[in-house]
Amino acid sequence: MRIARVVGTAVSTVKEASLVGHKLLLVRETDEHNEVLGPVFVAVDVVGVGPDELVLVSEGSAARHAATTTGQPVDAVIMGVLDSLEVGGTVTFRRV
Amino acid sequence: MRIARVVGTAVSTVKEASLVGHKLLLVRETDEHNEVLGPVFVAVDVVGVGPDELVLVSEGSAARHAATTTGQPVDAVIMGVLDSLEVGGTVTFRRV
Amino acid sequence: MRIARVVGTAVSTVKEASLVGHKLLLVRETDEHNEVLGPVFVAVDVVGVGPDELVLVSEGSAARHAATTTGQPVDAVIMGVLDSLEVGGTVTFRRV
Amino acid sequence: MRIARVVGTAVSTVKEASLVGHKLLLVRETDEHNEVLGPVFVAVDVVGVGPDELVLVSEGSAARHAATTTGQPVDAVIMGVLDSLEVGGTVTFRRV
Amino acid sequence: MRIARVVGTAVSTVKEASLVGHKLLLVRETDEHNEVLGPVFVAVDVVGVGPDELVLVSEGSAARHAATTTGQPVDAVIMGVLDSLEVGGTVTFRRV
């Protein structure tokens, strides 16, 4: 899973029927220090996250294996909110 | 899902039978400001989009989970038209 | 799907049994002007293409969803021959 | 599968229900000399590894095919601890 | 499928049970001239290859569709030994 930061939201009215009701968030991959590594992409939120949270994103077919995404045409889902990250004995990120 | 802009169309007469009837669009990944990030690729349109629209593209096995692509050999499908994108409280894209 | 050009052929005698009988082509991803973008990879041909053709390649699990690749260990299949590509109102490629 | 080194841990309290109970490790891809190649990502540990171990990571749908990850929304799982790597007749890594 | 060269071997004693018995080879992607393009990764050998052979690697869920990998947590499998590669009418690689 990739570490990503929630940076915004996307709105889409005309869309595949099975996507209706999902919250579409804009996220960017980050490293263990919450530094951005890559471009914005869209992930479905199934856990209820807030702005600027660091989250865990599952991609590919894994994205269809959350309780509320079964069989849906999604390829990136936020599966968890990150509380802390620790590398080599040092806490590099802590949720505030 | 990746954000992409519809930039053109592809025509293919000789093709796998299950692809007949699908509209093949040329798209390019963009960032939240509608700036192009990557090369052209081909995505099947299942929602009915127009030229220059910003869209949501699902890839991998997710592409076979739209109502009209079940079991088909497609790996990229346009699943929604983007109305707006907002990053850090600022609207970075709005459909015109 | 990626746009790719057929640049050659691969021969493999010792191989997984289910691959016997498939034509293995060497292809390279191109842009909408038929300019090469990436390295050579191998794709199974299920439509019957000729040398130098521009083709549509489906990857990942989609490659197993052609009529003749069901359940086979292939991850890239040529699903169609491209007749033309059009970007922004201009034809950028036409099959000759 | 990619070779990766275990560099730390991730803690996530609010998460998809099926992820509860899994140990989330931070790993980085390495080469055959245990030199880091890429950024940190998160993998589920199903074999019981220690800090700084070199491990084998399966990604994509393969991550759901360990005995304890069946049907779960994970896309990267540590499937084995590496004891040694040998390239061209030379041992490039040995577990200590 | 990617073209890759067998460059070595990996040994893993502590691993997911379903991986026991598989030969784990180190491979690197190459181009049509057998020139290395990318870093070392690990692929399961299901055809019986020797050192320095050029091989065909299937990745993703395709890796689970060899006769001996069904349902196993592998994401890269050597599916064939390459005898020759030909690009633009010229043989660029021939097995010796």
Side-chain angles (χ1 to χ4, degrees), chain E residues 37-96:
Chain E
L37 294 179
V40 164
F41 62 99
V42 179
V44 168
D45 177 17
V46 298
V47 289
V49 306
D52 300 320
E53 297 268 26
L54 218 56
V55 296
L56 207 54
V57 177
S58 285
E59 293 170 277
S61 55
R64 295 195 306 277
H65 285 77
T68 55
T69 60
T70 309
Q72 296 179 358
V74 296
D75 62 11
V77 171
I78 295 171
M79 295 295 183
V81 180
L82 288 165
D83 298 310
S84 63
L85 300 174
E86 178 266 294
V87 173
T90 304
V91 174
T92 60
F93 168 79
R94 193 180 299 276
R95 190 185 180 196
V96 288

Side-chain angles (χ1 to χ4, degrees), chain A residues 11-14 16 42 73 75, chain B residues 1 58-59 67 79 81 83 86:
Chain A
V11 177
S12 171
T13 308
V14 176
E16 173 72 12
V42 179
D75 62 12
Chain B
M1 285 71 71
S58 285
E59 293 170 277
M79 296 294 183
V81 180
D83 298 310
E86 178 266 294

Side-chain angles (χ1 to χ4, degrees), chain D residues 10-23:
Chain D
V11 177
S12 170
T13 309
V14 176
K15 62 188 162 192
E16 174 71 12
S18 58
L19 292 181
V20 174
H22 276 309
K23 195 172 165 190

Side-chain angles (χ1 to χ4, degrees), chain A residues 6-65:
Chain A
V6 177
V7 299
T9 54
V11 177
S12 171
T13 308
V14 176
K15 62 188 162 192
E16 173 72 12
S18 57
L19 292 181
V20 174
H22 275 310
K23 195 172 164 189
L24 301 172
L25 295 183
L26 299 180
V27 300
R28 297 184 72 170
E29 184 177 4
T30 72
D31 67 11
E32 67 274 25
H33 299 287
N34 196 2
E35 296 294 326
V36 165
L37 294 179
V40 163
F41 62 99
V42 179
V44 167
D45 177 18
V46 299
V47 289
V49 306
D52 301 320
E53 297 269 26
L54 219 57
V55 296
L56 207 55
V57 177
S58 285
E59 293 169 277
S61 56
R64 295 196 304 277
H65 285 77

